[in-house]
């Protein structure tokens, strides 16, 4: 099942935000979310959405707000309209 457009953009925004800070998916999975790296890789492959709890934990880990993640997703929508 494909993700909806909003979930796709949020997943891509998370990937962009961790990249900006030089963090990889494995680090995000293990140190932030306390999960197996495949959990994050499934989200980066756009197979599953991040939960709201995930997004809150990610934002805290990155020192940003969940609103910053949503703003990043909105920016993605502006520069890559479908």
């Amino acid at each position: 099942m494909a993700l909806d457009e909003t979930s796709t953009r949020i997943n891509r925004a998370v990937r962009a935000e961790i990249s900006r800070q030089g963090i990889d998916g494995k680090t995000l999975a293990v140190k932030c979310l306390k999960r197996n790296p495949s959990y994050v890789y499934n989200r980066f492959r756009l197979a599953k959405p991040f939960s709201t709890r995930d997004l809150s934990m990610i934002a805290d880990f990155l020192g940003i707000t969940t609103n910053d993640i949503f703003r990043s997703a909105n920016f993605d929508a502006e520069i890559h309209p479908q």
Side-chain angles (χ1 to χ4, degrees):
M1 179 171 111
L3 292 181
D4 60 56
E5 183 179 347
T6 300
S7 295
T8 296
R9 292 192 187 284
I10 290 170
N11 284 17
R12 288 178 10 191
V14 168
R15 190 171 199 168
E17 294 306 318
I18 68 165
S19 292
R20 284 185 183 96
Q21 294 196 25
I23 297 168
D24 62 16
K26 182 178 180 181
T27 300
L28 183 71
V30 174
K31 293 191 176 185
C32 171
L33 299 174
K34 310 294 187 228
R35 297 207 178 238
N36 187 294
S38 65
Y39 182 86
V40 169
Y41 295 139
N42 282 331
R43 276 121 190 105
F44 287 168
R45 286 186 311 113
L46 306 177
K48 296 185 178 203
F50 281 106
S51 72
T52 53
R53 183 173 183 273
D54 292 338
L55 295 175
S56 179
M57 292 171 68
I58 291 166
D60 287 345
F61 185 73
L62 298 177
I64 62 176
T65 67
T66 53
N67 191 47
D68 293 329
I69 294 172
F70 297 137
R71 287 177 42 214
S72 181
N74 286 332
F75 180 67
D76 178 64
E78 288 177 27
I79 63 171
H80 299 112
Q82 290 195 342

